[in-house]
Amino acid sequence: MMTSDFPIENLPFGVARVNGERHICTILHDEVLDLHAAAADLDEPTLKEPVLNAFAAKRNTRVVKARMRSIIARIPRIANAEMLLPVDIGDYTDFYASVHHATNVGSMFRPDNPLLPNYKWVPIGYHGRSSSIVVSGTPVKRPSGQLKDDGDPFVGKTKRLDYEMELGIVIGAGNAMGESIAAADALDHVFGFCLVNDWSARDVQTWEYQPLGPFLAKNFATSISPWIVTVDALEPYRTKAAPRAEGDPQPLPYLDDDTAFDITVEVWLRAKSMSEPVRLSRGNFRDMYWTVAQLVAHHTVNGCNLRPGDLLASGTISGPDKDARGCLLELTWRGTEPIQLPNGETRRFLEDGDEVILRGYCERPGLPRIGFGECKGVVIG
């Protein structure tokens, strides 16, 4: 039997629907606990809010979680909880922080020059759309867009729908406009982490992305897991980022950081005709080229103001090995190497009825397993 993602050492935060209202909650093993109902006992009035933004901004999760543990048996349980988006996401930025992913994708389109000259100097990202971020379990409709084959462009449904396995960074305390956040202070501005599936229409993306980058290929849906795992829960799994390869430039001073997190991430696929999902890939967040602190520091170096509840996504988490590639574009090498499923079907890209399941967890002998649960979505036509 698999160990729970949610031991007493974890206690992530989410929001559930209770009698038609939004209640902030946590989860212990498989029981959802109503923190809204326990807000007075926990001496934290922001837990009465409908979303986590105000609580995230206070930087007191350690104190509140200590109180939660002391009264855990008295916190009311929520039966059959319907999980909702945990924060009001005002702004969403998606990064491109895996050098393995960037190199693989670049090799498909620019085999002689996979990485552009700026990649190892500056964290690359783009501003996404927060209105189409949905909670795990929400079906994802296959999008239409402008496509181009051998002839003139036309509008049609994407034939190359893909997922991207990412982690989301949820901002707690923000910064004032015109001020920057130093890399050394960046994690103090992070409330926690969740799983992110950045659904992508690759054929739309190929035609539209030059010169300004992703647009309609990305903004139709982004799924996130319902539980935000706070930074303090991940402390035992903090590690050093891999040293840069010989010849790589050292980060500029404002990007000076080497803090990584040992988080395993997995992608599972359940085809419509399959009773059980099959694992497609397993990677690790510590393999990212740019760290969480570097992403936050770069985002604000120009004085951009981050606000509580803002979401920064890591970009596809891919590793050096083929079975650690975090999207079908890489796994099938742009569709030229289809994946064989146990039911005899193959996949180049996602088909209607496919369910994509992302999982993330930290595991090490002698330490509690800290998990993120699942981020799921079924493709509908």
Side-chain angles (χ1 to χ4, degrees):
M1 183 175 178
M2 187 172 66
T3 306
S4 169
D5 275 355
F6 306 114
I8 192 73
E9 294 85 357
N10 192 347
L11 296 181
F13 292 91
V15 171
R17 194 185 309 279
V18 179
N19 297 324
E21 298 180 342
R22 300 175 64 99
H23 281 206
I24 291 174
C25 55
T26 188
I27 182 169
L28 177 62
H29 303 304
D30 59 354
E31 291 189 311
V32 178
L33 312 183
D34 192 345
L35 299 180
H36 175 103
D41 288 341
L42 294 169
D43 192 26
E44 184 46 68
T46 60
L47 295 176
K48 286 283 191 179
E49 297 288 327
V51 288
L52 282 159
N53 297 55
F55 176 61
K58 293 187 72 171
R59 304 193 198 188
N60 64 344
T61 55
R62 290 177 187 270
V63 172
V64 172
K65 287 170 78 169
R67 294 175 190 152
M68 288 161 57
R69 293 184 183 102
S70 71
I71 66 164
I72 199 78
R74 304 204 310 269
I75 302 177
R77 273 52 179 169
I78 302 174
N80 303 315
E82 177 193 354
M83 301 307 298
L84 308 171
L85 284 174
V87 287
D88 181 8
I89 303 170
D91 283 298
Y92 165 49
T93 301
D94 196 13
F95 282 95
Y96 197 48
S98 168
V99 71
H100 304 292
H101 174 66
T103 301
N104 286 335
V105 174
S107 296
M108 297 173 199
F109 299 95
R110 301 180 304 275
D112 297 330
N113 186 29
L115 285 182
L116 295 176
N118 64 350
Y119 185 85
K120 294 183 176 182
W121 286 96
V122 55
I124 303 298
Y126 69 94
H127 292 296
R129 185 161 185 86
S130 60
S131 67
S132 51
I133 296 175
V134 296
V135 74
S136 172
T138 305
V140 173
K141 186 175 181 180
R142 182 177 296 274
S144 295
Q146 191 173 133
L147 312 171
K148 188 179 187 308
D149 293 329
D150 296 332
D152 290 335
F154 62 97
V155 174
K157 288 191 174 183
T158 177
K159 298 177 182 178
R160 295 188 172 189
L161 184 60
D162 201 356
Y163 59 81
E164 290 191 339
M165 168 69 243
E166 308 189 17
L167 274 184
I169 302 151
V170 180
I171 297 299
N175 59 300
M177 188 173 180
E179 297 181 1
S180 59
I181 298 174
D185 300 325
L187 289 178
D188 291 335
H189 291 262
V190 173
F191 176 54
F193 300 85
C194 62
L195 300 171
V196 172
N197 184 347
D198 179 32
W199 303 90
S200 301
R202 299 301 189 186
D203 40 8
V204 176
Q205 184 178 0
T206 299
W207 174 234
E208 76 173 5
Y209 84 103
Q210 296 188 65
L212 292 182
F215 182 33
L216 299 184
K218 299 278 191 175
N219 69 1
F220 60 94
T222 301
S223 300
I224 68 171
S225 55
W227 297 109
I228 299 175
V229 177
T230 56
V231 176
D232 61 282
L234 297 174
E235 283 295 334
Y237 294 93
R238 192 187 285 224
T239 187
K240 293 285 188 183
R244 293 205 163 192
E246 185 177 352
D248 281 6
Q250 290 305 302
L252 295 177
Y254 81 97
L255 294 171
D256 185 20
D257 178 72
D258 64 355
T259 301
F261 291 92
D262 185 6
I263 303 171
T264 298
V265 293
E266 298 178 344
V267 180
W268 295 71
L269 177 71
R270 181 191 283 115
K272 192 173 183 179
S273 61
M274 293 167 55
S275 58
E276 296 295 329
V278 59
R279 192 180 71 211
L280 298 185
S281 68
R282 175 187 284 163
N284 197 293
F285 191 55
R286 66 171 178 258
D287 289 329
M288 303 301 273
Y289 194 80
W290 296 103
T291 71
V292 171
Q294 288 170 332
L295 301 184
V296 173
H298 183 65
H299 204 307
T300 63
V301 70
N302 67 342
C304 173
N305 53 317
L306 298 178
R307 296 173 294 183
D310 282 357
L311 180 67
L312 315 184
S314 63
T316 303
I317 302 170
S318 292
D321 302 320
K322 184 174 182 178
D323 62 0
R325 296 174 181 173
C327 63
L328 284 175
L329 181 68
E330 293 176 83
L331 277 173
T332 70
W333 207 254
R334 209 180 176 187
T336 61
E337 302 173 10
I339 292 171
Q340 187 74 41
L341 300 180
N343 64 352
E345 297 179 20
T346 60
R347 286 293 182 277
R348 289 179 169 83
F349 294 94
L350 296 172
E351 298 188 6
D352 292 351
D354 285 350
E355 181 181 36
V356 179
I357 305 166
L358 309 184
R359 295 172 180 164
Y361 55 89
C362 306
E363 247 178 1
R364 194 179 297 165
L367 291 175
R369 175 189 172 104
I370 301 295
F372 293 76
E374 296 182 332
C375 179
K376 302 189 291 187
V378 174
V379 178
I380 59 176

